[in-house]
Structure formats: structure tokens, C-alpha cells
Amino acid sequence: MEELPDKVEMIRHVELSGPQRDLYETIRISMQKKVREHVKQLGLNRSHIIILDALLKLRQICCDPRLLKIPAAQKKHAESAKLELLMTSLTELLEEGRRILLFSQFTEMLGLIEKELDQKKIRYVKLTGQTKDRKTPVQQFQQGEVPLFLISLKAGGTGLNLTAADTVIHYDPWWNPAVENQATDRAHRIGQNKTVFVYKLVAKGTVEEKILEMQRNKHALMEGLFSEAETSKLKMTDKDLQSLFDPLE
């Protein structure tokens, strides 16, 4: 059996600052209060949706405040530390001749990244759930016509062969490491002859870091929390819940 080349995984931390940090803390405090009240009234297992909504908002702020559909986030808080890190990293990696797959759970985030790429005149292809012709972008990337492939995690995390890539960037962490690994394996698979570098961008001290910790230590808890079945039993203690809403240091 053909042996796969090495896979090198790295976490790139980014620190929220300024208005983005302020927004994170404001939403964190208000959602923590809301979740506490809900849990007190209905219990943990019947608070599934409100907890998910709170976590979604915090995860969106980590990616880019503009994902949060409130006027303040669109204007005052529009800068994203993570997007800045991504664009700096992409410029450096592309100058090195890297071929890159960039995954995000949020198709809207991919749209914001596209705008930045267009400004910098960086060529790319994209695949999301709305992409009707999946074959063409795959061919363009595999044949070396473009160096960067933007992919939504749900639409392109499985079933694609993208061995032309030697670099994978996960813009936002997902609760289930198996899903991330499957996405990485679009590049790290039979036919790959180069070392594959995997970068995970994580906002320091935020819910994203908590997700990574729980990926490692409390997989069953995360599975219950992020299961799409509303009746899923939450294997979560009050301490676990509160840790998701820890303040930024």
C-alpha cells in the first residue's frame, strides 16, 4: 500500500483587540445571562437551542464581527484580527508557491474573504453548497490554474480529491475533529507526494479555544451539544457550560 507523506498540524493563535474584543465581551456577558436564566427555568437539556445560538454568535465574532447581523458589528466593529492574520499568512504562503485549501463553516465568511482576495488580485476558486458545477473549480485547482481553493466545510469536506494542495487552512474550528480531518484529507490522501501543512486559526481565550479543549477531552459532550437533534441529551455540567462563557483575559 502506498505510504502517505507527513502531515504537519499547527495552531495559529490570534488575539482579539479593540472594538472586536469589546463586542465579544458585550455579547458574551449578555448571552451568558440569557443562557443562565433559560437553564434555571427549563433545565439544561431543554436549553439546547439557546446555548447553540449563544455559541454561534461568539464564534461568528471570532471569525469576523460582520457575520453578526447587528448594525454595530457592521460598522464600528468591522475589523477582524483573524481575517488580518489570514490575509498576511496567505500572502506569505502564496509567495512560497504553496497550493492552499481554505475551509470555513460559514459561507458568508468565505464571501468576506473573497472581497479581500479580489482587492489583492489573488486568484482563487470556490465551492459551497450553492456551487452547481463542482467539477470545474476542482479541475482548475488540480491543474494549477489557481493557487487557492475556498471551500465550505459542509459542501466540500468529503468526496473531493485535491492532492495538488500542500497546505490546508481551517479558518474556524469545528466541534468534531473527525470532520476537520476529513476535510484535511482532501489533500492528505493517496496520490499526495508532498508534506501537507495544516493550519488552524484560533482566537485566543475565546469559545474557539474552548472548542479545541473539548475536542481533545470531552468529545461526547461536544457531540451532544452540537448534535442537530433537539432531543440530544447534553452530557454537560454547569461548570462545562460556564467555561464556554469565560471572559477574555
Side-chain angles (χ1 to χ4, degrees), residues 6 10 28-29 40 64 73 91 94 114-115 119 147 152 179 184 188 194-195 204:
D6 289 342
M10 287 162 279
R28 181 192 65 75
I29 291 163
K40 195 175 176 183
D64 191 298
T91 303
L94 291 169
E114 277 187 275
K115 287 178 185 172
Q119 278 184 1
S152 72
V179 173
T184 297
H188 191 248
K194 302 178 288 293
T195 297
K204 196 175 177 185

Side-chain angles (χ1 to χ4, degrees), residues 14 21 23 40-41 48 69 71 80 88 98 107 125 159-160 183 192 213 228 230 245:
V14 61
R21 183 188 176 93
L23 181 65
K40 195 175 176 183
Q41 283 177 5
H48 197 168
K69 298 297 182 208
S80 164
T88 304
R98 302 275 198 99
T107 52
V125 285
L160 297 176
Q192 179 58 269
E213 283 168 24
E228 289 179 8
E230 286 178 31
F245 296 97

